[in-house]
PDB file of all heavy atoms in Angstrom:
ATOM      1  N   PHE A   1     -64.594-105.476 -13.674  1.00  0.00           N
ATOM      2  CA  PHE A   1     -64.684-105.138 -15.153  1.00  0.00           C
ATOM      3  C   PHE A   1     -63.178-105.194 -15.742  1.00  0.00           C
ATOM      4  O   PHE A   1     -62.196-105.374 -14.948  1.00  0.00           O
ATOM      5  CB  PHE A   1     -65.053-103.650 -15.281  1.00  0.00           C
ATOM      6  CG  PHE A   1     -66.454-103.434 -14.785  1.00  0.00           C
ATOM      7  CD1 PHE A   1     -66.821-102.170 -14.217  1.00  0.00           C
ATOM      8  CD2 PHE A   1     -67.445-104.426 -14.683  1.00  0.00           C
ATOM      9  CE1 PHE A   1     -68.104-101.910 -13.701  1.00  0.00           C
ATOM     10  CE2 PHE A   1     -68.708-104.161 -14.133  1.00  0.00           C
ATOM     11  CZ  PHE A   1     -69.011-102.860 -13.727  1.00  0.00           C
ATOM     12  N   ILE A   2     -63.177-105.326 -17.118  1.00  0.00           N
ATOM     13  CA  ILE A   2     -61.926-105.429 -17.724  1.00  0.00           C
ATOM     14  C   ILE A   2     -62.082-104.817 -19.117  1.00  0.00           C
ATOM     15  O   ILE A   2     -63.280-104.766 -19.669  1.00  0.00           O
ATOM     16  CB  ILE A   2     -61.412-106.921 -17.858  1.00  0.00           C
ATOM     17  CG1 ILE A   2     -59.970-106.992 -18.210  1.00  0.00           C
ATOM     18  CG2 ILE A   2     -62.369-107.681 -18.807  1.00  0.00           C
ATOM     19  CD1 ILE A   2     -59.414-108.403 -18.178  1.00  0.00           C
ATOM     20  N   ARG A   3     -61.055-104.305 -19.794  1.00  0.00           N
ATOM     21  CA  ARG A   3     -61.279-103.794 -21.140  1.00  0.00           C
ATOM     22  C   ARG A   3     -61.514-104.943 -22.097  1.00  0.00           C
ATOM     23  O   ARG A   3     -61.238-106.152 -21.855  1.00  0.00           O
ATOM     24  CB  ARG A   3     -59.906-103.190 -21.551  1.00  0.00           C
ATOM     25  CG  ARG A   3     -58.818-104.086 -21.990  1.00  0.00           C
ATOM     26  CD  ARG A   3     -57.517-103.348 -22.337  1.00  0.00           C
ATOM     27  NE  ARG A   3     -56.573-103.335 -21.402  1.00  0.00           N
ATOM     28  CZ  ARG A   3     -55.492-102.586 -21.295  1.00  0.00           C
ATOM     29  NH1 ARG A   3     -55.294-101.654 -22.290  1.00  0.00           N
ATOM     30  NH2 ARG A   3     -54.571-102.567 -20.437  1.00  0.00           N
ATOM     31  N   LYS A   4     -62.295-104.579 -23.110  1.00  0.00           N
ATOM     32  CA  LYS A   4     -62.781-105.546 -24.091  1.00  0.00           C
ATOM     33  C   LYS A   4     -63.532-106.699 -23.485  1.00  0.00           C
ATOM     34  O   LYS A   4     -63.420-107.806 -23.900  1.00  0.00           O
ATOM     35  CB  LYS A   4     -61.549-106.130 -24.919  1.00  0.00           C
ATOM     36  CG  LYS A   4     -60.666-105.079 -25.603  1.00  0.00           C
ATOM     37  CD  LYS A   4     -59.565-105.709 -26.330  1.00  0.00           C
ATOM     38  CE  LYS A   4     -58.668-104.619 -26.966  1.00  0.00           C
ATOM     39  NZ  LYS A   4     -57.527-105.229 -27.706  1.00  0.00           N
ATOM     40  N   LEU A   5     -64.332-106.333 -22.471  1.00  0.00           N
ATOM     41  CA  LEU A   5     -65.209-107.355 -21.826  1.00  0.00           C
ATOM     42  C   LEU A   5     -66.236-107.852 -22.892  1.00  0.00           C
ATOM     43  O   LEU A   5     -66.885-107.098 -23.465  1.00  0.00           O
ATOM     44  CB  LEU A   5     -66.030-106.798 -20.678  1.00  0.00           C
ATOM     45  CG  LEU A   5     -66.616-107.784 -19.707  1.00  0.00           C
ATOM     46  CD1 LEU A   5     -65.629-108.679 -19.026  1.00  0.00           C
ATOM     47  CD2 LEU A   5     -67.499-107.038 -18.685  1.00  0.00           C
ATOM     48  N   PRO A   6     -66.225-109.203 -23.122  1.00  0.00           N
ATOM     49  CA  PRO A   6     -67.116-109.743 -24.295  1.00  0.00           C
ATOM     50  C   PRO A   6     -68.499-109.418 -24.112  1.00  0.00           C
ATOM     51  O   PRO A   6     -69.082-109.385 -23.013  1.00  0.00           O
ATOM     52  CB  PRO A   6     -66.815-111.242 -24.061  1.00  0.00           C
ATOM     53  CG  PRO A   6     -65.581-111.391 -23.299  1.00  0.00           C
ATOM     54  CD  PRO A   6     -65.508-110.216 -22.540  1.00  0.00           C
ATOM     55  N   HIS A   7     -69.166-108.872 -25.217  1.00  0.00           N
ATOM     56  CA  HIS A   7     -70.637-108.487 -25.134  1.00  0.00           C
ATOM     57  C   HIS A   7     -71.529-109.657 -24.754  1.00  0.00           C
ATOM     58  O   HIS A   7     -72.422-109.411 -23.950  1.00  0.00           O
ATOM     59  CB  HIS A   7     -71.011-108.128 -26.576  1.00  0.00           C
ATOM     60  CG  HIS A   7     -70.392-106.784 -26.929  1.00  0.00           C
ATOM     61  ND1 HIS A   7     -70.569-105.585 -26.289  1.00  0.00           N
ATOM     62  CD2 HIS A   7     -69.449-106.498 -27.978  1.00  0.00           C
ATOM     63  CE1 HIS A   7     -69.873-104.613 -26.914  1.00  0.00           C
ATOM     64  NE2 HIS A   7     -69.217-105.157 -27.895  1.00  0.00           N
ATOM     65  N   ASN A   8     -71.150-110.920 -25.219  1.00  0.00           N
ATOM     66  CA  ASN A   8     -71.996-112.064 -24.731  1.00  0.00           C
ATOM     67  C   ASN A   8     -71.925-112.205 -23.107  1.00  0.00           C
ATOM     68  O   ASN A   8     -72.904-112.577 -22.540  1.00  0.00           O
ATOM     69  CB  ASN A   8     -71.488-113.354 -25.356  1.00  0.00           C
ATOM     70  CG  ASN A   8     -71.810-113.427 -26.774  1.00  0.00           C
ATOM     71  OD1 ASN A   8     -72.792-112.746 -27.329  1.00  0.00           O
ATOM     72  ND2 ASN A   8     -71.141-114.215 -27.568  1.00  0.00           N
ATOM     73  N   LEU A   9     -70.751-111.918 -22.546  1.00  0.00           N
ATOM     74  CA  LEU A   9     -70.623-111.904 -21.081  1.00  0.00           C
ATOM     75  C   LEU A   9     -71.467-110.927 -20.462  1.00  0.00           C
ATOM     76  O   LEU A   9     -72.109-111.152 -19.435  1.00  0.00           O
ATOM     77  CB  LEU A   9     -69.129-111.935 -20.783  1.00  0.00           C
ATOM     78  CG  LEU A   9     -68.749-112.547 -19.563  1.00  0.00           C
ATOM     79  CD1 LEU A   9     -69.113-114.073 -19.487  1.00  0.00           C
ATOM     80  CD2 LEU A   9     -67.270-112.390 -19.322  1.00  0.00           C
ATOM     81  N   ILE A  10     -71.389-109.667 -20.989  1.00  0.00           N
ATOM     82  CA  ILE A  10     -72.216-108.602 -20.397  1.00  0.00           C
ATOM     83  C   ILE A  10     -73.710-108.875 -20.485  1.00  0.00           C
ATOM     84  O   ILE A  10     -74.450-108.710 -19.505  1.00  0.00           O
ATOM     85  CB  ILE A  10     -71.865-107.258 -21.170  1.00  0.00           C
ATOM     86  CG1 ILE A  10     -70.507-106.896 -20.883  1.00  0.00           C
ATOM     87  CG2 ILE A  10     -72.863-106.178 -20.718  1.00  0.00           C
ATOM     88  CD1 ILE A  10     -69.993-105.613 -21.663  1.00  0.00           C
ATOM     89  N   ASP A  11     -74.111-109.511 -21.658  1.00  0.00           N
ATOM     90  CA  ASP A  11     -75.546-109.814 -21.747  1.00  0.00           C
ATOM     91  C   ASP A  11     -76.027-110.898 -20.805  1.00  0.00           C
ATOM     92  O   ASP A  11     -77.016-110.824 -20.142  1.00  0.00           O
ATOM     93  CB  ASP A  11     -75.808-110.246 -23.214  1.00  0.00           C
ATOM     94  CG  ASP A  11     -75.804-109.189 -24.167  1.00  0.00           C
ATOM     95  OD1 ASP A  11     -75.883-108.012 -23.836  1.00  0.00           O
ATOM     96  OD2 ASP A  11     -75.519-109.394 -25.436  1.00  0.00           O
ATOM     97  N   ALA A  12     -75.019-111.944 -20.676  1.00  0.00           N
ATOM     98  CA  ALA A  12     -75.422-112.987 -19.730  1.00  0.00           C
ATOM     99  C   ALA A  12     -75.456-112.672 -18.351  1.00  0.00           C
ATOM    100  O   ALA A  12     -76.276-113.092 -17.566  1.00  0.00           O
ATOM    101  CB  ALA A  12     -74.460-114.181 -20.002  1.00  0.00           C
ATOM    102  N   PHE A  13     -74.566-111.805 -17.928  1.00  0.00           N
ATOM    103  CA  PHE A  13     -74.423-111.335 -16.532  1.00  0.00           C
ATOM    104  C   PHE A  13     -75.187-110.016 -16.259  1.00  0.00           C
ATOM    105  O   PHE A  13     -75.078-109.377 -15.187  1.00  0.00           O
ATOM    106  CB  PHE A  13     -72.920-111.118 -16.192  1.00  0.00           C
ATOM    107  CG  PHE A  13     -72.235-112.282 -15.743  1.00  0.00           C
ATOM    108  CD1 PHE A  13     -71.849-113.288 -16.661  1.00  0.00           C
ATOM    109  CD2 PHE A  13     -71.951-112.572 -14.432  1.00  0.00           C
ATOM    110  CE1 PHE A  13     -71.150-114.412 -16.297  1.00  0.00           C
ATOM    111  CE2 PHE A  13     -71.371-113.768 -14.003  1.00  0.00           C
ATOM    112  CZ  PHE A  13     -70.931-114.686 -14.975  1.00  0.00           C
ATOM    113  N   ARG A  14     -76.058-109.640 -17.193  1.00  0.00           N
ATOM    114  CA  ARG A  14     -76.713-108.313 -17.086  1.00  0.00           C
ATOM    115  C   ARG A  14     -77.485-108.280 -15.702  1.00  0.00           C
ATOM    116  O   ARG A  14     -77.441-107.183 -15.054  1.00  0.00           O
ATOM    117  CB  ARG A  14     -77.583-108.045 -18.255  1.00  0.00           C
ATOM    118  CG  ARG A  14     -78.264-106.653 -18.077  1.00  0.00           C
ATOM    119  CD  ARG A  14     -78.894-106.365 -19.526  1.00  0.00           C
ATOM    120  NE  ARG A  14     -77.996-106.469 -20.571  1.00  0.00           N
ATOM    121  CZ  ARG A  14     -77.060-105.540 -20.877  1.00  0.00           C
ATOM    122  NH1 ARG A  14     -76.921-104.479 -20.184  1.00  0.00           N
ATOM    123  NH2 ARG A  14     -76.281-105.696 -21.961  1.00  0.00           N
ATOM    124  N   SER A  15     -78.182-109.340 -15.417  1.00  0.00           N
ATOM    125  CA  SER A  15     -79.077-109.253 -14.304  1.00  0.00           C
ATOM    126  C   SER A  15     -78.169-108.982 -12.930  1.00  0.00           C
ATOM    127  O   SER A  15     -78.611-108.457 -11.948  1.00  0.00           O
ATOM    128  CB  SER A  15     -79.895-110.556 -14.076  1.00  0.00           C
ATOM    129  OG  SER A  15     -79.078-111.750 -13.938  1.00  0.00           O
ATOM    130  N   THR A  16     -76.949-109.681 -13.025  1.00  0.00           N
ATOM    131  CA  THR A  16     -76.036-109.449 -11.882  1.00  0.00           C
ATOM    132  C   THR A  16     -75.471-108.053 -11.922  1.00  0.00           C
ATOM    133  O   THR A  16     -75.419-107.411 -10.822  1.00  0.00           O
ATOM    134  CB  THR A  16     -74.890-110.489 -11.977  1.00  0.00           C
ATOM    135  OG1 THR A  16     -75.477-111.823 -12.003  1.00  0.00           O
ATOM    136  CG2 THR A  16     -73.962-110.389 -10.803  1.00  0.00           C
ATOM    137  N   LEU A  17     -75.047-107.647 -13.069  1.00  0.00           N
ATOM    138  CA  LEU A  17     -74.364-106.317 -13.087  1.00  0.00           C
ATOM    139  C   LEU A  17     -75.367-105.205 -12.753  1.00  0.00           C
ATOM    140  O   LEU A  17     -75.017-104.156 -12.281  1.00  0.00           O
ATOM    141  CB  LEU A  17     -73.749-106.132 -14.494  1.00  0.00           C
ATOM    142  CG  LEU A  17     -72.608-106.996 -14.854  1.00  0.00           C
ATOM    143  CD1 LEU A  17     -72.205-106.858 -16.318  1.00  0.00           C
ATOM    144  CD2 LEU A  17     -71.339-106.734 -13.929  1.00  0.00           C
ATOM    145  N   GLU A  18     -76.636-105.490 -13.136  1.00  0.00           N
ATOM    146  CA  GLU A  18     -77.576-104.335 -12.977  1.00  0.00           C
ATOM    147  C   GLU A  18     -77.964-104.136 -11.474  1.00  0.00           C
ATOM    148  O   GLU A  18     -78.658-103.245 -11.158  1.00  0.00           O
ATOM    149  CB  GLU A  18     -78.887-104.699 -13.713  1.00  0.00           C
ATOM    150  CG  GLU A  18     -78.672-104.300 -15.265  1.00  0.00           C
ATOM    151  CD  GLU A  18     -79.967-104.497 -15.982  1.00  0.00           C
ATOM    152  OE1 GLU A  18     -80.970-105.016 -15.543  1.00  0.00           O
ATOM    153  OE2 GLU A  18     -79.896-104.210 -17.283  1.00  0.00           O
ATOM    154  N   GLU A  19     -77.394-105.003 -10.561  1.00  0.00           N
ATOM    155  CA  GLU A  19     -77.554-104.621  -9.165  1.00  0.00           C
ATOM    156  C   GLU A  19     -76.976-103.290  -8.856  1.00  0.00           C
ATOM    157  O   GLU A  19     -77.395-102.638  -7.930  1.00  0.00           O
ATOM    158  CB  GLU A  19     -76.732-105.750  -8.392  1.00  0.00           C
ATOM    159  CG  GLU A  19     -77.524-107.051  -8.141  1.00  0.00           C
ATOM    160  CD  GLU A  19     -78.736-106.951  -7.315  1.00  0.00           C
ATOM    161  OE1 GLU A  19     -78.575-106.568  -6.091  1.00  0.00           O
ATOM    162  OE2 GLU A  19     -79.798-107.154  -7.804  1.00  0.00           O
ATOM    163  N   VAL A  20     -75.931-102.869  -9.648  1.00  0.00           N
ATOM    164  CA  VAL A  20     -75.345-101.594  -9.515  1.00  0.00           C
ATOM    165  C   VAL A  20     -76.412-100.466  -9.803  1.00  0.00           C
ATOM    166  O   VAL A  20     -76.433 -99.467  -9.051  1.00  0.00           O
ATOM    167  CB  VAL A  20     -74.196-101.349 -10.409  1.00  0.00           C
ATOM    168  CG1 VAL A  20     -73.489-100.061 -10.197  1.00  0.00           C
ATOM    169  CG2 VAL A  20     -73.137-102.450 -10.189  1.00  0.00           C
ATOM    170  N   CYS A  21     -77.200-100.682 -10.787  1.00  0.00           N
ATOM    171  CA  CYS A  21     -78.264 -99.707 -11.182  1.00  0.00           C
ATOM    172  C   CYS A  21     -79.278 -99.506 -10.019  1.00  0.00           C
ATOM    173  O   CYS A  21     -79.836 -98.358  -9.913  1.00  0.00           O
ATOM    174  CB  CYS A  21     -78.912-100.085 -12.495  1.00  0.00           C
ATOM    175  SG  CYS A  21     -77.865-100.498 -13.897  1.00  0.00           S
ATOM    176  N   TYR A  22     -79.541-100.523  -9.280  1.00  0.00           N
ATOM    177  CA  TYR A  22     -80.507-100.427  -8.243  1.00  0.00           C
ATOM    178  C   TYR A  22     -80.060-100.065  -6.883  1.00  0.00           C
ATOM    179  O   TYR A  22     -80.754 -99.925  -5.920  1.00  0.00           O
ATOM    180  CB  TYR A  22     -81.361-101.774  -8.234  1.00  0.00           C
ATOM    181  CG  TYR A  22     -82.106-102.018  -9.495  1.00  0.00           C
ATOM    182  CD1 TYR A  22     -81.608-102.959 -10.375  1.00  0.00           C
ATOM    183  CD2 TYR A  22     -83.374-101.418  -9.747  1.00  0.00           C
ATOM    184  CE1 TYR A  22     -82.310-103.221 -11.534  1.00  0.00           C
ATOM    185  CE2 TYR A  22     -83.943-101.595 -10.921  1.00  0.00           C
ATOM    186  CZ  TYR A  22     -83.477-102.592 -11.832  1.00  0.00           C
ATOM    187  OH  TYR A  22     -84.065-102.836 -13.050  1.00  0.00           O
ATOM    188  N   ALA A  23     -78.735 -99.957  -6.788  1.00  0.00           N
ATOM    189  CA  ALA A  23     -78.149 -99.543  -5.561  1.00  0.00           C
ATOM    190  C   ALA A  23     -78.363 -98.088  -5.290  1.00  0.00           C
ATOM    191  O   ALA A  23     -78.513 -97.295  -6.245  1.00  0.00           O
ATOM    192  CB  ALA A  23     -76.606 -99.883  -5.559  1.00  0.00           C
ATOM    193  N   ASP A  24     -78.314 -97.665  -3.977  1.00  0.00           N
ATOM    194  CA  ASP A  24     -78.495 -96.226  -3.702  1.00  0.00           C
ATOM    195  C   ASP A  24     -77.224 -95.410  -3.997  1.00  0.00           C
ATOM    196  O   ASP A  24     -77.251 -94.288  -4.371  1.00  0.00           O
ATOM    197  CB  ASP A  24     -78.853 -96.124  -2.181  1.00  0.00           C
ATOM    198  CG  ASP A  24     -80.177 -96.871  -1.947  1.00  0.00           C
ATOM    199  OD1 ASP A  24     -81.243 -96.457  -2.543  1.00  0.00           O
ATOM    200  OD2 ASP A  24     -80.202 -97.795  -1.121  1.00  0.00           O
ATOM    201  N   TYR A  25     -76.056 -96.093  -3.715  1.00  0.00           N
ATOM    202  CA  TYR A  25     -74.702 -95.437  -3.860  1.00  0.00           C
ATOM    203  C   TYR A  25     -73.777 -96.395  -4.467  1.00  0.00           C
ATOM    204  O   TYR A  25     -73.996 -97.604  -4.567  1.00  0.00           O
ATOM    205  CB  TYR A  25     -74.281 -94.936  -2.499  1.00  0.00           C
ATOM    206  CG  TYR A  25     -75.211 -94.050  -1.684  1.00  0.00           C
ATOM    207  CD1 TYR A  25     -76.125 -94.622  -0.866  1.00  0.00           C
ATOM    208  CD2 TYR A  25     -75.203 -92.680  -1.902  1.00  0.00           C
ATOM    209  CE1 TYR A  25     -77.023 -93.789  -0.141  1.00  0.00           C
ATOM    210  CE2 TYR A  25     -76.105 -91.905  -1.269  1.00  0.00           C
ATOM    211  CZ  TYR A  25     -76.969 -92.472  -0.322  1.00  0.00           C
ATOM    212  OH  TYR A  25     -77.931 -91.715   0.381  1.00  0.00           O
ATOM    213  N   ILE A  26     -72.614 -95.925  -4.916  1.00  0.00           N
ATOM    214  CA  ILE A  26     -71.585 -96.727  -5.529  1.00  0.00           C
ATOM    215  C   ILE A  26     -70.274 -96.561  -4.773  1.00  0.00           C
ATOM    216  O   ILE A  26     -69.903 -95.395  -4.476  1.00  0.00           O
ATOM    217  CB  ILE A  26     -71.441 -96.432  -7.027  1.00  0.00           C
ATOM    218  CG1 ILE A  26     -72.721 -96.896  -7.789  1.00  0.00           C
ATOM    219  CG2 ILE A  26     -70.250 -97.078  -7.576  1.00  0.00           C
ATOM    220  CD1 ILE A  26     -72.676 -96.479  -9.187  1.00  0.00           C
ATOM    221  N   ILE A  27     -69.552 -97.628  -4.484  1.00  0.00           N
ATOM    222  CA  ILE A  27     -68.244 -97.594  -3.902  1.00  0.00           C
ATOM    223  C   ILE A  27     -67.357 -98.022  -5.063  1.00  0.00           C
ATOM    224  O   ILE A  27     -67.415 -99.231  -5.470  1.00  0.00           O
ATOM    225  CB  ILE A  27     -68.148 -98.386  -2.701  1.00  0.00           C
ATOM    226  CG1 ILE A  27     -68.951 -97.846  -1.596  1.00  0.00           C
ATOM    227  CG2 ILE A  27     -66.587 -98.480  -2.313  1.00  0.00           C
ATOM    228  CD1 ILE A  27     -68.862 -98.645  -0.304  1.00  0.00           C
TER     229      ILE A  27
END
């Protein structure tokens, strides 16, 4: 992650980033 991460980038990478949502725990 980084500050001011572009919204278009978050939308495009949402399926990748949402792996966090389906994980059991976070490191």
Side-chain angles (χ1 to χ4, degrees):
F1 301 151
I2 197 170
R3 75 178 103 195
K4 301 179 184 178
L5 194 63
H7 292 295
N8 286 338
L9 207 55
I10 294 176
D11 290 339
F13 276 75
R14 185 169 304 284
S15 62
T16 300
L17 293 171
E18 284 183 353
E19 282 291 298
V20 180
C21 302
Y22 297 102
D24 300 299
Y25 305 91
I26 291 175
I27 295 177

